[in-house]
């Protein structure tokens, strides 16, 4: 099968996207992403596990606070919500199979909008899950992760699991159960929690301790329910410091690690690191990945980029090979993702309104990662980089430095060694040299 369409073809005139190599000038071809090419022992397809984000790609007309979205979504024309949702799914699987990505990700309400009662909503979602199952089996495209959208509905204006009203917490639980059921029914590899409105706008009206306890309890309940249903995948928490709340409880990777350790959730939960969330927390993407990797908790990534001029969560498609190479260095050294992959949590600009724009965005982003992977692999395996880095720490490899690492020295010992050895020679950090080294391989 070349690709999958429903009754109607939505991306007419665009066929299967193939690898044509760096010399190609075909905008509908990969120049660097060759899914079968092996790098550092794995194919590119296995390294990346690329996923398309259902919400940005198929549910988003480009609305912003200043006006309605201008992008036509031809699959949104039918009156009946279930028919509309089926058409959207046809469009999604047509796009994903033409692009050749192995995975997708969704929120429950991306698949189909809620009905008037919980029972009706469950029935609707079940219908779409059955339809997705058919499409998944026909295309081979799998679910990287599912999640619940616990931030859109007005009932969640004061939070979902952290809402001060138990009635809302119960609604959140029902929705969470629904999203878990859908994920499990579609053999989802993982399940994601992103905090959304789990945070506060003002501490004056907020009992932070109680809210964070409630949040942890909801995660335990979700874990216990999913495991009871036989779910074997990982749960991921996706840190973000703010937006939509002023302060979110999952501020950054370090905050989430402390939370998971405090509530004994480290066996089941890993981190899903998003580039633009890192920069919103005034970190780099590389920093957040390194924090997760150091803890052995790097689960997955949401790939995108922010805009340095405003710092907001603009969710743009990644196109900076240098930045992505820095990220790939950490990912390769960590041995890849624990269960996850690379989800393009990225959206077209509001004024990108042609059907082919979605292709250009994804093709460019996938090629960016492919270039970054080959560069990072060379930096780690063919360049002087690993040696230069470890050389900076060579004084800990033997003698008193080694004994320090082995916890054999006391503070008094340090005083004695310092007095005996005298002032150490200055040793350059060589930052520019390191930066040039990366640039040399990014080509
Ligand atoms: C929001 C965000 C979400 C999560 C899933 O900033 O990143 O799309 O990835 O809820
Ligand atoms: Co995200």
């Amino acid at each position: 099968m070349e690709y999958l369409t429903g009754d109607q073809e939505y991306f007419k005139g665009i066929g299967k996207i193939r690898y044509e190599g760096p010399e190609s000038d075909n905008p509908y071809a990969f120049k660097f992403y060759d899914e079968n090419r092996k790098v550092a022992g794995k194919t590119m397809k296995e390294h990346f596990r690329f996923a398309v984000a259902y919400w940005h790609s198929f549910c988003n007309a480009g609305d912003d606070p200043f006006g309605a979205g201008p992008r036509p979504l031809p699959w949104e024309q039918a009156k009946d919500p279930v028919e509309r949702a089926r058409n959207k799914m046809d469009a999604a699987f047509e796009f994903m199979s033409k692009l050749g990505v192995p995975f997708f990700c969704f929120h429950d309400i991306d698949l189909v909008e809620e009905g008037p009662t919980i029972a009706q909503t469950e029935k609707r979602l079940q219908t779409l899950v059955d339809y997705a199952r058919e499409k998944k089996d026909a295309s081979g495209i799998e679910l990287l992760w599912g999640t619940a959208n616990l931030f859109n509905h007005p009932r969640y204006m004061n939070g979902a699991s952290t809402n001060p009203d138990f009635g809302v917490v119960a609604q959140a639980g029902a929705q969470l159960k629904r999203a878990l059921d859908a994920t499990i029914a579609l053999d989802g590899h993982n399940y994601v929690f992103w905090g959304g409105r789990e945070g506060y706008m003002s501490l004056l009206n907020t009992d932070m301790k109680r809210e964070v306890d409630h949040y942890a309890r909801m995660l335990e309940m979700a874990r216990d329910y999913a495991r009871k249903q036989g779910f074997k995948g990982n749960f991921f928490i996706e840190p973000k410091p703010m937006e939509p709340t002023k302060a979110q409880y999952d501020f950054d990777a370090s905050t989430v690690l402390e939370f998971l350790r405090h509530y004994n959730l480290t066996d089941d939960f890993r981190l899903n690191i998003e580039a633009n969330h890192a920069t919103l927390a005034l970190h780099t993407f590389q920093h957040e990945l390194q924090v997760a990797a150091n803890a052995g908790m790097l689960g997955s990534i949401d790939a995108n980029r922010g805009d340095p001029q405003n710092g907001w969560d603009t969710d743009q498609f990644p196109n900076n090979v240098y930045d992505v190479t820095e990220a790939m260095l950490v990912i390769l050294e960590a041995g890849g993702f624990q269960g996850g992959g690379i989800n393009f949590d990225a959206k077209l600009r509001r004024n990108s309104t042609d059907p082919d724009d979605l292709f250009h965005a994804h093709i460019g982003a996938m090629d960016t990662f492919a270039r970054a992977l080959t560069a990072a692999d060379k930096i780690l395996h063919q360049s002087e980089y690993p040696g230069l880095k470890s050389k900076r720490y060579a004084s800990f490899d033997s003698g008193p430095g080694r004994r320090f690492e082995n916890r054999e020295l006391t503070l008094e010992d340090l005083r004695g060694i310092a007095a005996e050895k005298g002032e150490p020679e200055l040793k350059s950090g060589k930052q520019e040299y390191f930066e040039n080294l990366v640039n040399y391989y990014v080509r």
Side-chain angles (χ1 to χ4, degrees), residues 148-164:
N149 180 323
L150 296 171
F151 42 90
N152 216 300
H153 195 284
R155 77 170 78 92
Y156 300 128
M157 65 178 189
N158 291 311
S161 310
T162 64
N163 199 293

Side-chain angles (χ1 to χ4, degrees), residues 208-377:
M208 197 207 277
K209 169 136 191 1
R210 223 167 163 181
E211 291 199 3
V212 178
D213 281 347
H214 294 174
Y215 183 39
R217 179 62 196 138
M218 193 67 108
L219 298 188
E220 284 174 350
M221 290 166 92
R223 189 245 347 246
D224 294 345
Y225 172 74
R227 293 292 184 233
K228 205 169 65 189
Q229 307 305 309
F231 178 64
K232 301 257 184 311
N234 279 326
F235 295 89
F236 295 147
I237 294 198
E238 184 178 320
K240 183 173 183 182
M242 62 196 79
E243 280 187 39
T245 55
K246 189 175 81 172
Q248 278 172 225
Y249 295 138
D250 301 326
F251 192 93
D252 61 4
S254 301
T255 310
V256 171
L257 286 172
E258 198 281 327
F259 168 85
L260 291 175
R261 286 170 181 147
H262 181 78
Y263 291 99
N264 291 319
L265 291 165
T266 47
D267 285 346
D268 301 275
F269 285 78
R270 299 285 177 270
L271 271 62
N272 181 33
I273 303 294
E274 178 160 330
N276 206 166
H277 296 179
T279 46
L280 204 55
L282 301 184
H283 298 306
T284 59
F285 186 32
Q286 189 189 19
H287 167 96
E288 287 291 84
L289 290 167
Q290 191 70 64
V291 172
N294 289 350
M297 296 283 271
L298 177 57
S300 201
I301 66 172
D302 270 12
N304 55 22
R305 88 191 133 98
D307 185 326
Q309 279 170 297
N310 60 21
W312 297 333
D313 191 16
T314 55
D315 284 342
Q316 286 163 247
F317 280 85
N319 67 357
N320 185 319
V321 183
Y322 194 103
D323 288 352
V324 178
T325 301
E326 288 186 338
M328 283 312 305
L329 284 172
V330 183
I331 294 166
L332 279 181
E333 285 199 288
F337 306 116
Q338 296 188 31
I342 298 176
N343 169 46
F344 289 115
D345 194 354
K347 60 182 177 232
L348 294 173
R349 296 307 85 197
R350 186 170 183 268
N351 53 350
S352 297
T353 48
D354 290 340
D356 64 340
D357 289 325
L358 201 55
F359 280 92
H360 300 309
H362 283 88
I363 291 169
M366 289 159 79
D367 268 346
T368 300
F369 268 90
R371 286 180 68 187
L373 169 68
T374 26
D377 175 50

Side-chain angles (χ1 to χ4, degrees), residues 79-183:
K79 276 213 167 63
D80 174 58
V82 173
E83 194 185 331
R84 248 192 338 263
R86 278 172 173 274
N87 292 343
K88 178 161 65 176
M89 194 167 282
D90 285 344
F93 276 86
E94 179 193 325
F95 174 77
M96 297 187 294
S97 59
K98 283 181 169 177
L99 186 64
V101 277
F103 291 102
F104 69 113
C105 298
F106 64 69
H107 302 85
D108 56 338
I109 63 163
D110 302 334
L111 294 192
V112 60
E113 63 205 66
E114 288 185 9
T117 64
I118 287 190
Q120 282 165 283
T121 302
E122 286 168 348
K123 195 162 161 245
R124 266 188 197 179
L125 188 58
Q126 187 57 52
T127 308
L128 267 297
V129 164
D130 292 343
Y131 195 48
R133 175 116 225 151
E134 281 175 35
K135 294 260 169 194
K136 166 186 177 294
D137 292 345
S139 64
I141 299 171
E142 296 181 40
L143 179 62
L144 187 65
W145 49 260
T147 186
N149 180 323
L150 296 171
F151 42 90
N152 216 300
H153 195 284
R155 77 170 78 92
Y156 300 128
M157 65 178 189
N158 291 311
S161 310
T162 64
N163 199 293
D165 178 353
F166 174 71
V168 178
V169 173
Q171 288 285 335
Q175 193 180 336
L176 179 49
K177 177 181 174 299
R178 216 156 49 229
L180 282 166
D181 287 337
T183 303

